[in-house]
Amino acid sequence: MTHPKKKLIAGNWKMNGSLAANAALVAALRESVGTPSCDVAVCVPAPYLAQVQGLVDGSPLALGAQDVSAHAQGAYTGEQSAAMLKDFGVRYAIVGHSERRQYHGESDDTVAAKAAAALAAGITPIVCVGETLSEREAGHTQEVVRRQLAAVIHANGHCISEIVVAYEPVWAIGTGKTATPEQAQAVHAVLRTQLHHAAGDLAGRIRILYGGSMNAANAASLLAQADIDGGLIGGASLKAPDFLQIIAAAR
Ligand code: 13P
């Protein structure tokens, strides 16, 4: 049995924005978002959490972070704990984005520990998985995403139904090359099966987002797929009209 669930549209601003730009973007979103039929979040750079917490207050926009420390506190220069994020009203934290795996050497186990830290603080981790172009071309897509997700399931088995998964093929991120709806659905179905083995019926309520050059033009066809429960949007989330169109496409 699956549970009814709202789709989730999450913007990942990555390392973009300023006090002025954030204020303008959130104001434009608030003005036109109305009462969306999906959940909506903006994942903002850490220095702007306090600002954006205020900007989204009383709106349908939830606040998200782009990373979280695996550690609770202490000598971890430059990191932010889940409890600190919680202090600023953070509801979601992206973990294991491919840019962090690639540029910061985050391993599957580190990503799993970050997901656990978020869950322990009552923050929903958005766990990113995805293959590189060479992995896809070598026929290893399923093996890679299953390995990445398995680490998170292993470390969080008892509360795995509380996570959000994001399938982000690395070759589609920021490249303008989107996975076709069929390519994405095929991987989402693999992930859903894996979640079913781990969580039984509860797997039906876990949202699996697609990310990678999702935009106003292609969102509806991706979101129409059976196992695509939302989107994690980079570039298009920085333009209010585009992000609003993606939100409108998520019913
Ligand atoms: P783009 O939408 O810019 O391709 O980025 C996707 C992404 O990495 C979201 O986390």
Side-chain angles (χ1 to χ4, degrees):
M1 193 191 96
T2 54
H3 298 253
K5 62 187 170 218
K6 282 189 183 176
K7 287 188 164 58
L8 169 63
I9 299 296
N12 175 7
W13 291 1
K14 306 194 180 183
M15 198 172 73
N16 295 289
S18 65
L19 289 172
N22 303 344
L25 177 54
V26 175
L29 294 174
R30 286 192 69 141
E31 189 176 307
S32 302
V33 73
T35 306
S37 45
C38 61
D39 291 332
V40 182
V42 288
C43 301
V44 311
Y48 296 122
L49 285 171
Q51 180 208 12
V52 180
Q53 179 187 25
L55 292 174
V56 301
D57 188 42
S59 84
L61 308 176
L63 184 61
Q66 297 176 11
D67 185 27
V68 60
S69 178
H71 307 285
Q73 62 176 58
Y76 300 101
T77 302
E79 297 198 27
Q80 290 90 35
S81 73
M84 292 171 183
L85 300 180
K86 192 79 183 165
D87 258 350
F88 289 93
V90 165
R91 296 258 303 278
Y92 299 94
I94 298 170
V95 299
H97 193 281
S98 62
E99 287 150 17
R100 297 213 55 91
R101 293 180 190 261
Q102 193 178 344
Y103 307 140
H104 300 269
E106 291 191 8
S107 67
D108 294 340
D109 288 343
T110 300
V111 174
K114 290 183 170 198
L119 286 167
I123 292 172
T124 300
I126 301 176
V127 176
C128 298
V129 300
E131 81 288 3
T132 63
L133 183 59
S134 60
E135 287 165 339
R136 172 164 283 264
E137 287 175 348
H140 294 155
T141 297
Q142 294 195 14
E143 177 191 326
V144 168
V145 298
R146 286 174 55 88
R147 188 202 73 225
Q148 291 171 333
L149 183 57
V152 176
I153 290 171
H154 181 72
N156 297 279
H158 55 293
C159 44
I160 199 67
S161 63
E162 303 303 317
I163 73 169
V164 169
V165 177
Y167 169 54
E168 297 210 314
V170 177
W171 49 271
I173 295 176
T175 58
K177 280 188 211 159
T178 318
T180 65
E182 295 73 25
Q183 281 176 322
Q185 167 58 27
V187 178
H188 282 231
V190 167
L191 296 170
R192 182 83 67 203
T193 301
Q194 188 176 7
L195 291 167
H196 259 292
H197 286 307
D201 286 348
L202 290 176
R205 75 180 214 198
I206 301 175
R207 292 181 289 195
I208 308 178
L209 315 183
Y210 170 78
S213 298
M214 193 189 259
N215 59 39
N218 62 27
S221 57
L222 286 159
L223 293 167
Q225 299 298 309
D227 290 298
I228 301 187
D229 307 312
L232 183 56
I233 295 105
S237 75
L238 297 170
K239 300 176 213 144
D242 297 51
F243 195 53
L244 287 162
Q245 277 192 57
I246 297 170
I247 292 166
R251 325 193 150 270

